[in-house]
């Protein structure tokens, strides 16, 4: 293992690579990781020296607070390689801001921009060969932070570990999905942590999603906790509805994550001249639109999935199948966004950032 120092980041390179054993044509999302990871610890009230080192398990005290009180946050990002072998990030500033917003909500220390951005850039350069070219291929990036302070007293940790993992990726969801609209379970509540990318938000979804899976549905469209009448998110994605020629999506709130793909699609749709309304969407409105034929499309949007078409939904034991149409907004916006991310079209928004 060789060691170098770059931008105050110690780099310890692996003695050999796993890359030749990876089938990049048949990747399971989030199951394969590159040769290296980035790590930086927070101790004694300050961030320590960051390091890039070979990917390996970490050793932690059994009383680490993350295991007992759930202080854990993460982000989802992607990097893309163009035909010139240059690597590009998509709106990393937004991920950085949201990461620290999550940290504040979970009583965790904010990560300095230099540690977050420099660590990300250097890690992508070290594992540059793992990033595949071609529309549909990307490098999924998972920055996360956990509480590592020892002790089971119920208070915030005084030590934390910030890490970045890289995982080569293809499409997250294969094909179209069917969803069920939540009538009892909620993803988040007012005053809670729904707007933070906290690990516990996702753990709480697993049980109701398992119930939906048993009924033949891949995901749930979550509703508000108070009345279960307002449509909010679809599984781990923001969700859009097209009624006639108007694209609808719920506004962000304490319960709804401020999705970066979501806000990008809204801006792109408006640039394309589509009518977009960001407002509460109620279940009865969706059901009525499905009945009278004005509901044209439903699709989820997120970093991992980009856009995932929803082919039908169930509510109160009634299933509403979407009628296939041509020239969908989902296909238009997905093509526009993925072409921009992969540098196949001009980035008129200034969203892509080259890894230097």
């Amino acid at each position: 293992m060789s060691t170098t120092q770059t931008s105050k980041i110690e780099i310890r390179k692996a003695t050999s690579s796993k890359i030749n054993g990876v089938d990049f044509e048949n990747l399971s999302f989030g199951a394969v990781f590159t040769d290296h990871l980035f790590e930086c610890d927070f101790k004694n009230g300050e961030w320590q020296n960051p390091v890039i080192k070979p990917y390996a398990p970490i050793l932690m005290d059994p009383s680490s607070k993350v295991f007992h009180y759930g202080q854990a946050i993460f982000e989802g990002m992607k990097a893309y390689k163009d035909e010139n072998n240059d690597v590009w990030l998509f709106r990393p500033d937004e991920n950085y801001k949201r990461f620290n917003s999550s940290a504040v909500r979970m009583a965790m220390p904010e990560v300095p921009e230099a540690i977050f951005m420099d660590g990300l850039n250097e890690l992508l350069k070290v594992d540059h060969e793992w990033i595949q070219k071609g529309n549909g291929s990307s490098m999924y990036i998972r920055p996360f932070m956990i509480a590592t302070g020892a002790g089971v007293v119920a208070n915030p940790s005084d030590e934390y570990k910030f890490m970045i993992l890289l995982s080569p990726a293809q499409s997250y969801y294969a094909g179209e999905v069917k969803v069920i609209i939540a009538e009892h379970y909620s993803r988040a509540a007012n005053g809670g942590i729904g707007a933070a990318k906290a690990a516990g938000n996702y753990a709480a979804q697993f049980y109701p999603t398992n119930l939906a899976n048993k009924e033949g549905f891949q995901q749930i469209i979550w509703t508000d906790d108070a009345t279960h009448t307002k449509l909010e998110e679809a599984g781990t994605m923001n969700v859009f509805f097209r009624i006639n020629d108007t694209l609808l999506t719920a506004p962000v709130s304490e319960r709804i994550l401020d999705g970066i793909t979501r806000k990008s699609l809204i801006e792109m749709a408006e640039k394309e001249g589509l009518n977009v309304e960001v407002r509460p969407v109620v279940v009865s409105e969706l059901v009525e639109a499905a009945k009278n034929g004005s509901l044209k499309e439903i699709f989820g949007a997120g970093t991992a999935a980009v856009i995932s078409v929803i082919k039908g939904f169930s509510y109160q034991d009634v299933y509403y199948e979407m009628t296939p149409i041509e020239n969908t907004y989902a296909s238009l916006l997905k093509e526009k966004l993925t072409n921009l991310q992969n540098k196949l079209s001009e980035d008129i928004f200034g969203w892509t950032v080259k890894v230097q």
Side-chain angles (χ1 to χ4, degrees), residues 272-302:
E272 290 297 312
L274 304 182
N275 184 33
V276 181
E277 292 183 10
V278 179
R279 63 167 176 81
V281 184
V282 296
V283 178
S284 59
E285 179 182 10
L286 188 71
V287 170
E288 179 59 29
K291 289 179 177 178
N292 65 31
S294 60
L295 179 62
K296 306 299 183 184
E297 300 178 64
I298 309 174
F299 56 88

Side-chain angles (χ1 to χ4, degrees), residues 264-272 333 336-337 349 351:
S264 303
L265 291 177
I266 291 171
E267 198 167 337
M268 294 189 91
E270 291 173 339
K271 188 72 174 179
E272 290 297 312
L333 294 173
K336 292 285 184 181
L337 182 57
F349 302 96
W351 290 339

Side-chain angles (χ1 to χ4, degrees), residues 97-352:
K97 288 188 292 185
R98 191 171 65 181
F99 188 87
N100 275 342
S101 179
S102 297
V104 169
R105 181 62 182 85
M106 297 299 290
M108 304 169 83
E110 295 181 65
V111 176
E113 185 173 7
I115 290 177
F116 190 102
M117 293 299 187
D118 291 353
L120 176 56
N121 274 268
E122 292 301 325
L123 182 59
L124 286 168
K125 287 193 285 186
V126 168
D127 282 337
H128 178 273
E129 295 302 317
W130 284 78
I131 309 172
Q132 302 297 293
K133 291 188 287 189
N135 204 336
S137 295
S138 62
M139 179 63 74
Y140 184 77
I141 304 165
R142 174 53 62 91
F144 69 99
M145 179 163 53
I146 56 175
T148 54
V152 295
V153 176
N155 56 20
S157 176
D158 57 359
E159 295 184 1
Y160 297 87
K161 185 179 292 292
F162 170 61
M163 304 182 77
I164 304 175
L165 310 180
L166 301 180
S167 179
Q170 294 175 313
S171 297
Y172 187 63
Y173 293 111
E176 299 172 325
V177 298
K178 296 192 298 182
V179 301
I180 189 168
I181 293 177
E183 298 178 56
H184 172 71
Y185 294 103
S186 299
R187 176 187 173 274
N190 283 332
I193 59 172
K197 281 190 76 71
N201 283 342
Y202 296 81
Q205 295 184 45
F206 293 158
Y207 175 69
T209 302
N210 284 344
L211 296 180
N213 293 162
K214 291 176 182 178
E215 295 184 40
F217 299 93
Q218 286 76 40
Q219 285 292 350
I220 296 173
I221 293 185
W222 303 103
T223 50
D224 69 289
D225 64 298
T227 68
H228 292 291
T229 61
K230 297 176 183 176
L231 298 160
E232 301 202 322
E233 293 192 8
T236 58
M237 303 176 289
N238 295 115
V239 63
F240 288 82
F241 311 93
R242 177 185 172 186
I243 297 179
N244 290 319
D245 289 332
T246 299
L247 195 59
L248 307 171
T249 192
V252 295
S253 68
E254 290 180 299
R255 303 185 308 272
I256 299 177
L257 190 71
D258 187 11
I260 294 161
T261 303
R262 170 192 173 277
K263 66 176 65 178
S264 303
L265 291 177
I266 291 171
E267 198 167 337
M268 294 189 91
E270 291 173 339
K271 188 72 174 179
E272 290 297 312
L274 304 182
N275 184 33
V276 181
E277 292 183 10
V278 179
R279 63 167 176 81
V281 184
V282 296
V283 178
S284 59
E285 179 182 10
L286 188 71
V287 170
E288 179 59 29
K291 289 179 177 178
N292 65 31
S294 60
L295 179 62
K296 306 299 183 184
E297 300 178 64
I298 309 174
F299 56 88
T303 298
V306 184
I307 286 180
S308 184
V309 174
I310 294 171
K311 66 179 296 184
F313 70 92
S314 177
Y315 180 65
Q316 294 184 341
D317 297 323
V318 179
Y319 179 68
Y320 301 89
E321 181 88 17
M322 303 294 296
T323 301
I325 61 172
E326 296 181 352
N327 303 317
T328 63
Y329 288 178
S331 59
L332 169 68
L333 294 173
K334 184 172 184 176
E335 181 181 17
K336 292 285 184 181
L337 182 57
T338 55
N339 282 348
L340 183 153
Q341 291 170 328
N342 286 277
K343 306 303 288 185
L344 299 175
S345 64
E346 182 185 0
D347 177 10
I348 61 174
F349 302 96
W351 290 339
T352 53

